[in-house]
Amino acid sequence: FRVFTFEFQLLNFKFLLLIFYTFNFWMIKMVSNKLASALNEVGYNGDIKTENIENTIYEATKNKTRVVITGTEKRNEITAVILHVLQFHGIETDFITEENYSNAQLSTENDFVIIEAIPNEFFGNLHANIALITDIPNENSEIYSDFIAKITSGGVLVYNEENASLTNLAENSQNYFRKFPYKKPNISTKNDTIALETELGNISLNTQDLALVHQLEGARYICQQLGLLEEDFYEAVMNY
């Protein structure tokens, strides 16, 4: 009876494993099809491979200004803040975000494309014109070094200077680009409301996510690179 029970459990495990791999296969295929639709909008008809998809994205958007948001700390949330600020002020932009670049909208009209890039061995192939790196873990410094080396000449790197590994890579890069280091903003808290302390006065926020607040200066620098003034950024962030 014990042998039968063990064999039954093993059969169940193999069945669940089969379902897992089948689900992941179809998810990858579905993601590729979603991205393919966006890429077709800008006239890209080449093969789309899940491996090194970053190179495909670059080829399809090389006539646009690629604004790449990456790092491990609040990457997705900071990308959402930037898109909110742009939308708040009526600035149309393309975007490619989320896991496997599954949420994509591209057009032939817009000059900018916001790309949320998951750090991997290929993400440097996006050749960012403007990049924001929130932080890097020490063990991944090599792939970030490659990413920074592939920022387009004369481009922009916005980076968290409080991350020692990241600051070291940015300051010692042989690539030519403008550097905008940032650090945590000054804040105050009253009645569970976080406020940014700025030269324009205190800016009350609707979020209590302190880790996100610590990265807001990076988002502000990016928005300024896209033509928004400091007060424009704060006005939109108050309504986020």
Side-chain angles (χ1 to χ4, degrees), residues 7 26 64 71 75-76 85 155 166-167 176 186 198 211 234 238:
E7 290 180 346
W26 285 109
K64 295 178 178 288
R75 176 188 65 244
N76 179 265
V85 172
L166 176 52
T167 296
Y176 170 71
N186 295 323
T198 76
Y234 290 135
M238 288 176 64

Side-chain angles (χ1 to χ4, degrees), residues 36-53:
S37 297
L39 295 176
N40 285 337
E41 287 294 321
V42 290
Y44 183 82
N45 298 310
D47 292 334
I48 300 175
K49 300 178 180 179
T50 54
E51 183 178 13
N52 197 4
I53 189 68

Side-chain angles (χ1 to χ4, degrees), residues 70-72 75 117-121 123 140 143-144:
T70 191
T72 56
R75 176 188 65 244
I118 299 170
N120 59 42
E121 60 182 311
F123 79 134
N140 284 351
I143 62 172
Y144 281 96

Side-chain angles (χ1 to χ4, degrees), residues 35-213:
L35 183 57
S37 297
L39 295 176
N40 285 337
E41 287 294 321
V42 290
Y44 183 82
N45 298 310
D47 292 334
I48 300 175
K49 300 178 180 179
T50 54
E51 183 178 13
N52 197 4
I53 189 68
E54 289 81 2
N55 190 64
T56 298
I57 292 172
Y58 166 71
E59 289 296 329
T61 62
K62 59 185 177 182
N63 293 324
K64 295 178 178 288
T65 299
R66 290 171 304 285
V67 183
V68 181
I69 317 300
T70 191
T72 56
E73 181 71 28
K74 295 296 177 181
R75 176 188 65 244
N76 179 265
E77 291 86 345
I78 283 297
T79 303
V81 168
I82 292 169
L83 289 172
H84 165 78
V85 172
L86 294 174
Q87 184 180 34
F88 183 88
H89 290 289
I91 299 175
E92 296 289 336
T93 185
D94 294 345
F95 58 83
I96 304 174
T97 63
E98 299 184 7
E99 295 288 331
N100 298 314
Y101 305 103
S102 60
N103 186 26
Q105 178 178 299
L106 297 174
S107 69
T108 56
E109 294 84 12
N110 298 328
D111 295 326
F112 297 108
V113 54
I114 310 297
I115 304 172
E116 178 194 349
I118 299 170
N120 59 42
E121 60 182 311
F122 299 115
F123 79 134
N125 293 338
L126 291 168
H127 298 282
N129 301 99
I130 301 171
L132 166 61
I133 306 179
T134 61
D135 75 313
I136 65 172
N138 292 332
E139 62 270 19
N140 284 351
S141 60
E142 186 174 336
I143 62 172
Y144 281 96
S145 178
D146 179 68
F147 175 83
I148 291 172
K150 290 180 178 177
I151 294 174
T152 57
S153 181
V156 170
L157 172 62
V158 178
Y159 66 94
N160 180 1
E161 67 176 338
E162 295 179 324
N163 184 280
S165 298
L166 176 52
T167 296
N168 181 59
L169 288 180
E171 291 181 349
N172 292 289
S173 175
Q174 300 300 308
N175 193 3
Y176 170 71
F177 48 76
R178 289 177 291 156
K179 303 171 186 176
F180 293 90
Y182 70 92
K183 56 186 178 181
K184 297 174 185 176
N186 295 323
I187 64 171
S188 60
T189 304
K190 183 177 181 180
N191 298 328
D192 295 326
T193 298
I194 298 175
L196 299 174
E197 296 179 349
T198 76
E199 294 180 354
L200 301 175
N202 284 5
I203 309 296
S204 296
L205 304 174
N206 289 325
T207 181
Q208 294 183 339
D209 187 342
L210 199 56
L212 172 60
V213 174

